[in-house]
Amino acid sequence: MTGLVALDVGGRVPPFEQVRSQIAAQIAAGYLVDGERLPSVRALAEELGLAAGTVAKAYQLLEETGLVHTARGAGTRVIRPAAVPDAVADAARALVAAAKEAGLSADQAAAALREAWPA
């Protein structure tokens, strides 16, 4: 048992998002470091009592945000986040301020950003 993620089964946040956000937070805090291998999708799903597709979705979202990389035979490994340029950090703070002023939650603001991101 890894203890990597603790699910709130009665919570309103979907399990895949709980997995994604907890792993992302551990990477941001430095608990999971560059090159560290995450449990396999199957192993983490079994540990948490989830379907493998649920964990796979969380890992896919982590990969899309550049926090992990999955390679056949090498598993899923943490990637050290790149430094964020000042202009991007300023734009992010402006988005937060505008979202708060509009009464949006962080999830709603993040959804707006994902919708604006080109495919």
Side-chain angles (χ1 to χ4, degrees):
M1 187 174 281
T2 65
L4 182 65
V5 175
L7 288 181
D8 176 8
V9 293
R12 294 178 23 204
V13 178
F16 78 88
E17 177 56 22
Q18 291 182 53
V19 172
R20 186 212 60 80
S21 65
Q22 288 181 43
I23 292 174
Q26 290 181 47
I27 293 169
Y31 294 122
L32 294 173
V33 297
D34 190 38
E36 187 168 349
R37 189 172 181 169
L38 297 179
S40 70
V41 166
R42 184 178 296 166
L44 187 57
E46 186 175 304
E47 177 183 326
L48 298 174
L50 297 173
T54 301
V55 174
K57 182 175 183 177
Y59 277 21
Q60 177 184 3
L61 292 170
L62 289 165
E63 189 157 11
E64 287 174 5
T65 58
L67 294 176
V68 301
H69 177 71
T70 303
R72 184 179 296 272
T76 301
R77 295 189 180 271
V78 172
I79 299 173
R80 180 180 312 145
V84 176
D86 290 340
V88 175
D90 291 343
R93 283 189 285 278
L95 173 61
V96 168
K100 283 183 174 183
E101 186 175 314
L104 300 178
S105 70
D107 288 339
Q108 290 170 315
L113 179 60
R114 280 190 296 276
E115 286 178 23
W117 201 272

